[in-house]
Amino acid sequence: MTSDEIRRAFLHFFEERGHSIIPSSSLVPAGDPSLLLTSAGMVQFKPYFLGESIPPNRRLASCQKCFRTTDIEAVGDTKHLTFFEMLGNFSVGDYFKREAISWAWEFVTQHLALPQERLWITIYRADEEASAYWQEVGVPGDRILRLEEEDNFWGPAGDSGPCGPCSEILYDMGQGIGCQEPSCGPSCDCGRFLEIWNLVFTQYNQDSSGQRIPLPKPNIDTGMGLERATAAAGGKASVYETDLFVPLIERVSELAGCGYGGDEKTDHAIKVVAEHSRGMAFLIADGVIPANEGRGYVLRRVLRRAALFGRKLGLEEPFLTEMAKAVIGRMGQVYPELERRKDFILTVVGMEEARFNQTLNMGLDIFQNWMVKPRQDLLGYIRPLLGQLEMYEPWRQVIGYFGGVRHLCDNVTGTFESLRGPFEELKAHFERVPDEKGDETLYEETEAAVRKFLSDTTRISGDEVFMLYDTYGFPQELTAEVAAEHGFEVDREGFEEAMERQRARARAAQKFGRDEKVLDRDYRELGIQATPFVGYDSLKYQTIIAGLLVNGQPLQTASP
């Protein structure tokens, strides 16, 4: 079955069982400031589950666009995605476990035709009711795994509220997938056993003390990832081999002039570009534009990460608009907002990629020449010193060797200050010790000092990471990835401190601001009309200044 066939079959299956089919909502949650992006199918139904609104039907089903920021750095393996489609059926105080389990089993075994011998079930360890219903539909007891609360219990969102056990359907992708160890089983996280459907049984209300009271009308909230379901139904080793990704994989390979399936690093870069191309196109279609915070930062990070991985494939010229076209061509019939906003999507992608390309080469050069190469030179020189200490060479030889290290360090630390402090500590240690061979304690102390210096040398400071971010537009997560490829780590806490110092400077330097008292005024008295936002359809718009307010008073002129 193709992904389009599975999507239609799922919605038709539940429509026949009395569910109202609800269109996907935007990736930008409406009226829910607690969420950055729509990350699950139930997001648009929260008001129904919370009793804030009356649902059009107590039985609902949807195919929801979702985006999860937590999986950005894991993209490229067999199962993690940022953008994905979530198939789900929901009961708002209507049916419960028996129906949800029965229908899920019927759909995966009869409509997806997944072999029963490849299916495994997980339940919350104390959920005897779910275990009985799974066995009722024909699942052997030894294929039902009981897991603890951290794995198979949902919620509450906070210290109190609705919650309940959940049950997952896992699909065995086959012995050739994952770790391939004889002991591999459903509890192994190697990627062989793929979670394709999660059934959440919201049946309790938990108070602040942790006590759980049964809800008078429990609810059902399920989610099946379309990409994973398509891979399982098609017998594919990963989601990237499904019809959802193959056209994008082929387009990246064509643009880069390289094959797919021959080299692990190349394949990984191709998959990252293909996956992120979907995410950026859908985010922009739903009104997100690149920015330095919030949703806009997520988009900017994904788009720039795709551009960086394109460079690893040899794509020196802008190419992401071509990838956006491929996404729109593949998904536009299912999600017409992609076609409606095609020009806007291509314009935003093109402008952001061009902006990033202007600084990408310079930023990478600075990273390599200022931060990586001097450290690598230094490490290559000083690591043998550690080896000498471990072999207990004559102490005078160690001291003499350090003279060369001192000369090199004096030159290197003049390039970037982050190593000056660690070097001075190491230098001070050597100046305290005698020329003659010391005792074993002295060797241990010196070895510890050298190891600390090596550790400091392989750590890129927060100020350096911030410089790349502030001057060259490198998200700190991107810097961390590039650093890891060279065997270095970044000081994330130091970066956040540098960011906060910048925010403080920006607040202090701000000249204009909103007068909160003005918010209570009737703007019509000031002659100012409502101004609709036009940024979804255009990046440029000619307008006029309707009025100036200074300390709540209208003026004809204003200056800093």
Side-chain angles (χ1 to χ4, degrees):
M1 297 178 70
T2 67
S3 59
D4 292 338
E5 290 171 339
I6 292 174
R7 191 189 297 107
R8 286 194 297 267
F10 180 91
L11 297 176
H12 180 67
F13 178 87
F14 283 101
E15 188 173 36
E16 286 187 327
R17 287 153 183 78
H19 292 66
S20 294
I21 307 304
I22 306 300
S24 173
S25 63
S26 170
L27 287 173
V28 179
D32 192 344
S34 66
L35 291 176
L36 186 68
L37 294 164
T38 299
S39 58
M42 59 79 64
V43 168
Q44 66 170 317
F45 303 132
K46 281 175 64 176
Y48 304 147
F49 289 126
L50 295 174
E52 298 172 352
S53 302
I54 299 175
N57 186 348
R58 290 193 176 277
R59 298 183 177 189
L60 305 167
S62 69
C63 181
Q64 174 64 50
K65 299 178 294 185
C66 297
F67 196 102
R68 291 185 181 171
T69 59
T70 54
D71 293 333
I72 290 178
E73 294 179 12
V75 163
D77 65 4
T78 59
K79 58 184 179 179
H80 288 100
L81 301 171
T82 57
F83 172 84
F84 59 95
E85 297 176 77
M86 184 70 82
L87 300 165
N89 59 290
F90 308 87
S91 167
V92 186
D94 186 44
Y95 62 84
F96 200 45
K97 291 183 186 179
R98 170 173 270 149
E99 294 87 347
I101 288 172
S102 175
W103 288 335
W105 189 250
E106 179 183 354
F107 186 77
V108 297
T109 58
Q110 298 183 27
H111 293 264
L112 295 186
L114 298 183
Q116 295 187 25
E117 63 272 16
R118 285 198 169 195
L119 296 173
W120 293 76
I121 304 299
T122 68
I123 62 172
Y124 175 51
R125 58 175 172 75
D127 195 349
E128 300 295 342
E129 188 179 14
S131 177
Y133 289 143
W134 281 117
Q135 294 183 67
E136 187 177 276
V137 299
V139 180
D142 59 0
R143 283 188 170 265
I144 301 174
L145 308 179
R146 296 174 181 267
L147 301 180
E148 297 301 316
E149 187 165 315
E150 59 267 21
D151 297 308
N152 274 61
F153 198 94
W154 181 88
D159 62 356
S160 62
C163 58
C166 60
S167 181
E168 300 168 336
I169 302 177
L170 307 180
Y171 181 73
D172 183 357
M173 302 292 284
Q175 294 183 352
I177 304 298
C179 65
Q180 302 182 38
E181 295 291 334
S183 60
C184 184
S187 59
C188 184
D189 195 33
C190 68
R192 172 179 168 180
F193 293 86
L194 193 65
E195 176 201 331
I196 59 173
W197 205 339
N198 189 15
L199 315 177
V200 178
F201 312 126
T202 311
Q203 63 186 94
Y204 301 109
N205 185 66
Q206 179 174 307
D207 62 25
S208 56
S209 69
Q211 184 178 5
R212 293 169 180 164
I213 308 298
L215 291 170
K217 289 186 177 182
N219 305 309
I220 289 292
D221 163 20
T222 84
M224 177 167 64
L226 176 63
E227 293 79 5
R228 294 185 178 189
T230 305
K236 305 299 183 183
S238 80
V239 297
Y240 295 100
E241 296 180 16
T242 68
D243 65 283
L244 287 162
F245 280 97
V246 167
L248 307 183
I249 296 288
E250 291 177 345
R251 186 63 177 129
V252 182
S253 301
E254 179 184 2
L255 291 169
C258 61
Y260 177 77
D263 178 77
E264 184 176 347
K265 287 186 177 180
T266 298
D267 289 352
H268 181 261
I270 290 174
K271 289 186 286 189
V272 170
V273 172
E275 199 282 339
H276 285 354
S277 296
R278 296 208 318 162
M280 70 183 187
F282 275 92
L283 285 171
I284 297 170
D286 281 346
V288 181
I289 58 176
N292 286 333
E293 59 184 6
R295 302 179 184 104
Y297 181 73
V298 173
L299 170 60
R300 174 162 285 168
R301 181 182 171 195
V302 166
L303 196 152
R304 294 188 171 190
R305 195 167 187 263
L308 182 63
F309 274 85
R311 288 299 182 95
K312 296 180 181 181
L313 296 170
L315 290 165
E316 299 291 334
E317 299 299 322
F319 69 97
L320 288 180
T321 54
E322 293 300 315
M323 291 306 304
K325 291 177 185 177
V327 173
I328 296 169
R330 174 62 188 85
M331 304 295 291
Q333 290 184 334
V334 181
Y335 296 98
E337 61 269 27
L338 291 171
E339 287 286 356
R340 287 198 308 268
R341 294 176 175 163
K342 179 178 179 178
D343 292 342
F344 182 68
I345 293 170
L346 299 181
T347 299
V348 172
V349 169
M351 292 180 65
E352 182 67 13
E353 185 178 16
R355 180 181 179 184
F356 186 46
N357 279 350
Q358 290 175 356
T359 58
L360 179 58
N361 285 334
M362 186 177 297
L364 289 175
D365 287 345
I366 288 175
F367 184 84
Q368 178 68 32
N369 296 326
W370 289 10
M371 300 182 191
V372 173
K373 190 176 184 304
R375 285 177 166 85
Q376 289 175 333
D377 292 343
L378 191 58
L379 291 170
Y381 202 94
I382 204 169
R383 277 187 174 130
L385 173 61
L386 184 61
Q388 287 185 350
L389 286 171
E390 291 173 341
M391 291 186 295
Y392 287 86
E393 291 289 336
W395 188 253
R396 190 178 297 278
Q397 183 177 342
V398 173
I399 295 294
Y401 187 87
F402 183 68
V405 175
R406 176 186 297 133
H407 176 73
L408 180 67
C409 289
D410 282 338
N411 291 329
V412 170
T413 54
T415 303
F416 44 87
E417 289 294 320
S418 61
L419 290 183
R420 184 170 297 280
F423 170 70
E424 292 298 337
E425 291 182 16
L426 183 62
K427 181 180 176 182
H429 173 82
F430 273 92
E431 290 174 349
R432 286 196 303 269
V433 300
D435 289 344
E436 298 301 322
K437 179 179 178 180
D439 58 18
E440 185 173 333
T441 301
L442 183 59
Y443 274 92
E444 291 175 352
E445 291 176 353
T446 304
E447 180 181 342
V450 173
R451 288 190 181 279
K452 181 180 183 302
F453 180 74
L454 292 175
S455 175
D456 291 335
T457 305
T458 58
R459 185 178 179 85
I460 298 176
S461 73
D463 287 335
E464 291 170 318
V465 178
F466 176 76
M467 183 271 289
L468 282 174
Y469 166 79
D470 190 48
T471 307
Y472 300 101
F474 269 59
Q476 60 104 349
E477 298 90 351
L478 204 62
T479 301
E481 286 193 48
V482 177
E485 291 178 1
H486 292 83
F488 295 87
E489 63 176 350
V490 301
D491 179 7
R492 294 177 184 265
E493 292 183 1
F495 170 78
E496 292 300 331
E497 292 173 0
M499 280 290 295
E500 183 54 40
R501 289 196 297 270
Q502 185 208 45
R503 295 188 190 104
R505 289 193 298 268
R507 288 192 294 266
Q510 187 173 4
K511 299 294 185 181
F512 292 90
R514 292 192 309 176
D515 188 337
E516 297 299 327
K517 293 181 290 184
V518 175
L519 298 179
D520 297 328
R521 291 171 178 259
D522 187 345
Y523 280 89
R524 287 173 295 182
E525 292 183 3
L526 301 175
I528 299 176
Q529 304 298 318
T531 55
F533 179 67
V534 297
Y536 293 137
D537 302 308
S538 175
L539 292 176
K540 294 182 179 180
Y541 192 79
Q542 186 172 352
T543 185
I544 61 171
I545 297 175
L548 297 173
L549 295 172
V550 177
N551 295 326
Q553 300 299 318
L555 295 177
Q556 294 300 310
T557 61
S559 60

